[in-house]
Amino acid sequence: MKKVRKCVIPVAGMGTRFLPGTKAIPKEMFPIIDKPAIQYIVEEAVNSGIEEILFITSSYKNSVIDHFDKNYELESRLEKNNKLDKLDLVKKISSLATFTYIRQGEPLGSGHAIKLAKNFVGDEPFAVMYGDDVMMENNKPVLQQLIDIYEEKDCNVIGIKEVEKKLVNKYGIIEYENEKTGKIKTIIEKPKIEEAPSNHAGLGRYIVKPEIFNELEVLSRGAGDEYQFTDAMKELMKKQDFYACKIDGKYFDIGNQLGYIKANVEFSLKRDDLKEDVKKYIENELNQLI
Ligand code: UTP
């Protein structure tokens, strides 16, 4: 069985839900406290054994490229000023993995974006991580949890979580062949609430085999008139096994306002340098509301 070494992170979406914030700044570069959301995702990948990362970018996402590149001027200034802890923080970013970039000319959907990764992927299984879905792990990096299932069953894997029934129309929703084993029958992109086969939603973490590109080549437009990655997986499900991985950890969609606020609060409550002050602040604010 081939190891999962490569990861594709599409970051070329328009971020319309977060306008005007995303007019000039990609949502993937929004900081969660003091680190861009996309760096949390890259660190999750690297901590799961990923060595090569391809970003699908667009013309206004150059700050993503800059963030993972070396910044000699900043590094030499930090060194000169003896800010060695900050120098270390900055230097380690560009050496996290090998980074490659391809531009998606037009934001025609996640399926269209991932299709551009064909040559990068070659004939290996690979991970897909959405650039606006940030995970907070409990005991193990979330992508590693998916890779474990791939290695056990030699199958495609979708990271899932239960969502409120009233929100199923915002996600790709799983229909199981066997819920106990996690074997997936099909996936439906943004179903109507009354038609959803479950409340188990795919959440921006996937392990897929290279045959997905045969499906992406012939994909038609789907929900929102976009080429949906979910629709390509749905076709591959007719030919190969897909299993669900129930994510052990928390999930934040930082592409919407509430998800972004939650991510900042929860990650700050995990930080030793911030948690006590943040707790006190929240308690005070809540007391004033009562
Ligand atoms: P989303 O649907 O969450 O992102 O896509 P979006 O299109 O930016 O969102 P809104 O609705 O306009 O606010 C999931 C991931 O796929 C990427 C996005 O950047 C995000 O990381 N994506 C989406 C692309 O790379 N290209 C596309 O054409 C669409």
Side-chain angles (χ1 to χ4, degrees):
M1 186 194 303
K2 285 186 177 155
K3 218 175 147 270
V4 180
R5 300 184 313 109
K6 294 180 180 176
C7 176
V8 178
I9 309 184
V11 295
M14 304 246 291
T16 36
R17 286 168 296 157
F18 221 126
L19 281 167
T22 46
K23 184 167 175 257
I25 303 168
K27 59 183 165 181
E28 295 82 2
M29 287 302 293
F30 286 1
I32 300 176
I33 310 168
D34 48 15
K35 189 161 79 175
I38 191 71
Q39 193 180 331
Y40 289 80
I41 295 170
V42 165
E43 287 173 352
E44 178 193 332
V46 171
N47 293 336
S48 306
I50 296 294
E51 296 159 7
E52 293 180 40
I53 294 176
L54 169 68
F55 289 107
I56 309 293
T57 67
S58 70
S59 53
Y60 97 103
K61 304 259 176 165
N62 289 338
S63 52
V64 175
I65 302 177
D66 291 343
H67 186 71
F68 291 99
D69 197 1
K70 269 185 115 36
N71 183 335
Y72 286 106
E73 198 187 324
L74 176 64
E75 287 179 21
S76 60
R77 274 177 192 276
L78 290 171
E79 196 163 7
K80 214 169 105 199
N81 298 341
N82 209 25
K83 303 224 153 113
L84 299 182
D85 51 339
K86 300 287 179 207
L87 176 66
D88 193 44
L89 271 184
V90 167
K91 266 180 136 173
K92 85 166 210 258
I93 300 170
S94 57
S95 57
L96 281 169
T98 305
F99 298 105
T100 311
Y101 307 89
I102 294 179
R103 274 193 183 176
Q104 183 187 17
E106 257 186 288
L108 297 178
S110 52
H112 180 261
I114 294 161
K115 189 168 82 170
L116 300 171
K118 190 170 192 254
N119 288 341
F120 166 82
V121 166
D123 62 353
E124 298 182 30
F126 65 105
V128 172
M129 304 171 88
Y130 283 174
D132 53 0
D133 286 338
V134 174
M135 304 290 173
M136 181 187 269
E137 69 194 50
N138 285 333
N139 300 306
K140 196 188 265 187
V142 169
L143 189 67
Q144 181 69 60
Q145 297 170 28
L146 274 75
I147 292 175
D148 287 351
I149 294 181
Y150 161 77
E151 289 180 346
E152 186 196 324
K153 298 191 194 295
D154 189 15
C155 61
N156 299 274
V157 188
I158 299 181
I160 63 116
K161 242 188 176 334
E162 290 189 38
V163 296
E164 282 180 69
K165 207 71 194 145
K166 64 173 191 215
L167 297 178
V168 289
N169 56 357
K170 298 197 180 327
Y171 297 93
I173 296 293
I174 304 293
E175 180 174 351
Y176 287 100
E177 192 170 304
N178 182 334
E179 193 176 334
K180 270 203 187 114
T181 62
K183 178 109 192 276
I184 295 173
K185 184 174 171 198
T186 191
I187 184 165
I188 301 161
E189 184 66 24
K190 303 189 173 76
K192 288 190 183 139
I193 295 173
E194 58 283 8
E195 286 169 11
S198 73
N199 65 337
H200 292 198
L203 294 180
R205 294 291 181 277
Y206 311 91
I207 304 294
V208 273
K209 296 196 175 184
E211 289 76 19
I212 192 73
F213 291 104
N214 301 336
E215 310 303 336
L216 288 167
E217 293 292 346
V218 296
L219 191 64
S220 320
R221 287 177 191 255
D225 204 30
E226 291 188 347
Y227 295 94
Q228 300 286 354
F229 182 54
T230 307
D231 292 341
M233 287 193 291
K234 190 175 174 161
E235 287 306 309
L236 190 57
M237 279 169 197
K238 296 175 186 165
K239 301 165 191 165
Q240 292 187 357
D241 288 347
F242 274 73
Y243 279 81
C245 171
K246 284 193 182 162
I247 289 170
D248 178 26
K250 283 189 173 164
Y251 149 81
F252 306 99
D253 174 5
I254 60 104
N256 80 63
Q257 290 76 352
L258 185 60
Y260 182 63
I261 293 167
K262 285 182 183 171
N264 275 283
V265 172
E266 297 224 22
F267 275 98
S268 66
L269 290 172
K270 292 269 175 198
R271 287 252 306 237
D272 288 340
D273 58 337
L274 290 170
K275 67 180 174 199
E276 289 313 322
D277 287 340
V278 173
K279 258 195 230 164
K280 259 188 231 150
Y281 172 73
I282 294 173
E283 275 164 13
N284 278 342
E285 289 298 309
L286 287 177
N287 283 339
Q288 285 179 36
L289 282 178
I290 296 166

